[in-house]
Amino acid sequence: MTDSTAGRVALVTGGSGGIGRAVVERLAADGYAVAVHHAGNAARAEEIRDQVTAAGGRAITVGGDVADEEAMARAFDATEEAFGGIDVVVNTAGIMLLSPVATLDLADLDRMHRTNIRGAFVVSQLAANRLRPGGAIVNFSTSVTRTQFPAYAAYAASKAAVEGMTLILARELRGKDITVNAVAPGPTATPLFLADKSEEQVGRIAAMNPAERLGTPEEIAGTVAFLAGPGRWVNGQVLFANGGLA
């Protein structure tokens, strides 16, 4: 904990997931009170909450579909009721469904659009209206917007939309003392990334960056912690955390 983080409150969407969990753990260790959001896996969110509180931190769980503005308004309400306000919103919630464009099931496109684009918009809209001065909004993109890996077109398109929204919102919040940035991880060792990939595929992707390994959720969480706290002069940016991949 530092003087800059003491008393601050963070809401982390997708906080029961791989990167989301690492973000919760890092912010809690930095002294934030944290609302751990889940979209259905309440037991895992409660496990993380209990882990934080057992270590002397403050945490609650909140649930809801990120694309449902009423459900997310209730999540914001619960966080404010528990901790008195919100300073940081980290929007890690997202889904990744891979397919070449030619054979993509359009239902998968719609699912990603709802969660990755509408969900990010709903959460950012609420945050823009409810964060305290000195706050930070951290959205999530992907390094695939640069690397252009085959089969990632629909996912990359959804995250490119998040980048555009993030950069514009930063400028719209002029005078409110709220920063808005996006983190664009490279390949990171999470269940979302590793799903349905062979060991050979994972090794090939890991070798693409100069460090010749996958990133870790904790490394991405460190980037988020910088933007949420000391990185006040970074605003309206997409920060690529990918070990030099692109």
Side-chain angles (χ1 to χ4, degrees):
M1 183 187 301
T2 66
D3 289 342
S4 64
T5 60
R8 283 169 71 82
V9 177
L11 168 60
V12 181
T13 74
S16 61
I19 290 176
R21 178 171 189 153
V23 169
V24 168
E25 293 169 347
R26 173 58 188 267
L27 294 182
D30 285 352
Y32 289 79
V34 185
V36 185
H37 165 269
H38 65 90
N41 196 332
R44 189 161 60 182
E46 289 164 1
E47 173 195 336
I48 300 165
R49 176 202 63 197
D50 293 346
Q51 174 187 324
V52 169
T53 56
R58 296 185 297 156
I60 62 168
T61 63
V62 294
D65 176 0
V66 289
D68 182 333
E69 63 271 31
E70 293 182 359
M72 291 312 298
R74 290 192 292 271
F76 274 71
D77 290 343
T79 305
E80 290 174 341
E81 183 178 348
F83 301 127
I86 306 175
D87 303 287
V88 174
V89 169
V90 184
N91 195 33
T92 76
I95 59 174
M96 180 171 65
L97 304 169
L98 306 182
S99 169
V101 171
T103 55
L104 176 69
D105 184 336
L106 294 180
D108 288 345
L109 178 66
D110 291 341
R111 285 179 61 200
M112 281 192 287
H113 185 287
R114 176 175 173 79
T115 298
N116 296 357
I117 301 178
R118 180 183 168 88
F121 200 100
V122 164
V123 171
S124 293
Q125 185 178 69
L126 285 163
N129 285 294
R130 299 177 69 159
L131 288 193
R132 295 185 287 206
I137 300 169
V138 183
N139 285 322
F140 265 72
S141 181
T142 172
S143 288
V144 183
T145 57
R146 285 187 176 179
T147 60
Q148 293 100 41
F149 292 151
Y152 282 78
Y155 177 68
S158 73
K159 291 301 188 177
V162 171
E163 289 187 13
M165 175 191 66
T166 297
L167 303 186
I168 291 171
L169 179 58
R171 287 147 183 84
E172 291 178 344
L173 293 183
R174 176 184 294 272
K176 291 195 172 184
D177 192 22
I178 296 171
T179 61
V180 191
N181 294 287
V183 177
T188 305
T190 65
L192 180 69
F193 172 77
L194 297 172
D196 301 322
K197 291 184 177 69
S198 68
E199 188 174 332
E200 179 191 7
Q201 288 174 310
V202 172
R204 186 170 64 251
I205 294 170
M208 288 180 176
N209 68 66
E212 298 184 323
R213 65 173 177 82
L214 298 179
T216 68
E218 291 74 21
E219 287 169 324
I220 307 305
T223 305
V224 171
F226 168 72
L227 294 174
R232 297 298 305 166
W233 197 233
V234 181
N235 190 24
Q237 304 298 316
V238 179
L239 194 53
F240 286 80
N242 59 27
L245 177 64

